[in-house]
Amino acid sequence: MKIILLGAPGSGKGTQASLITEKYNLPHISTGEIFRENIKNQTPLGVKVKEVMDSGNLCPDDLTIEIVKDRLSKEDCKGGYMLDGFPRNLTQAKALDEFLAPDIVINIDVDIKKIEHRIVGRRSCSKCKGSFHTDFIGNTEICPDCGAKLVIRKDDNAQTVRERINVYQNQTSPLIDYYTAQNKLCSVNGNQEIDDVFSEIVKVLG
Ligand code: AP5
Ligand code: MG
């Protein structure tokens, strides 16, 4: 099964991806996480993308596409993949179609008005990469899943969120039509509780 999770920033891609990987045992590939790991480790790639990521804009297509192709060539992707945050524009979608096209694209549809609250209150685990919200976990700095330290992402602030939403609306949302035309798009209501969104996804995946 080759799955793409599509959705605005804060729509719940990472949250649902963790649940999907657990149930279906697919490799979870998040380009955002790959970039953040590289920034943390100060690799040449990390140095290259740090500024653009902090601003909420997209990293260069050629770089991103190469990273994804390389990752999809690994042994664990032989049985499928779950891409979270890729593709993010038509250039990336066309490159993926040429390389290893998806079977299904799950679009997590969420009210734009909810996004800022979700993102500003997010706490991310530095170790297991889990995504939590202060609404549910309060002000703790300890990951409820693995006990490591929770951090606030550099791009999780009100100003950068607005830029990320603009980027989503201008560059990523056209993918909804692109995959609808291919008969691969399934939309789920991302405004519901986390478990209810997941139930809808499970139904879609059959
Ligand atoms: P990326 O890491 O992909 O960030 P994003 O797309 O902005 O999405 P987020 O991770 O912010 O949100 P999410 O949908 O995963 O939501 P989550 O589950 O965490 O990309 C970051 C940057 O990397 C980009 O800006 C770009 O610079 C670069 N990049 C990445 N991929 C790229 C590409 N392909 N090309 C070029 N550049 C690229 O949930 C959010 C919050 O809401 C959490 O607090 C969570 O607990 C809560 N929540 C989740 N679901 C629910 C629910 N149902 N109800 C209530 N709260 C919920
Ligand atoms: Mg995410």
Side-chain angles (χ1 to χ4, degrees), residues 135-197:
D135 280 355
F136 305 120
I137 61 165
N139 280 324
T140 177
E141 290 186 353
I142 306 295
C143 173
D145 283 354
C146 77
K149 192 171 161 41
L150 291 175
V151 294
I152 298 177
R153 268 167 52 176
K154 191 89 193 291
D155 58 347
D156 278 355
N157 56 73
Q159 196 189 339
T160 310
V161 168
R162 282 193 282 277
E163 184 55 29
R164 285 159 63 195
I165 293 172
N166 277 339
V167 170
Y168 168 76
Q169 289 178 324
N170 295 328
Q171 300 192 49
T172 310
S173 67
L175 295 182
I176 294 176
D177 285 345
Y178 179 81
Y179 288 118
T180 301
Q182 292 190 3
N183 238 338
K184 288 184 177 171
L185 194 95
C186 291
S187 284
V188 297
N189 176 5
N191 299 305
Q192 314 169 82
E193 308 238 324
I194 292 171
D195 289 346
D196 295 330
V197 181

Side-chain angles (χ1 to χ4, degrees), residues 13-15 30 33 36 84 122 131 153:
K13 300 182 296 295
T15 303
S30 156
E33 280 309 332
R36 278 186 287 280
D84 156 9
R122 171 168 47 196
S131 197
R153 268 167 52 176

Side-chain angles (χ1 to χ4, degrees), residues 81-97:
Y81 59 67
M82 196 189 43
L83 279 166
D84 156 9
F86 183 96
R88 262 181 140 95
N89 58 27
L90 286 169
T91 306
Q92 295 183 7
K94 286 176 185 163
L96 183 65
D97 273 350

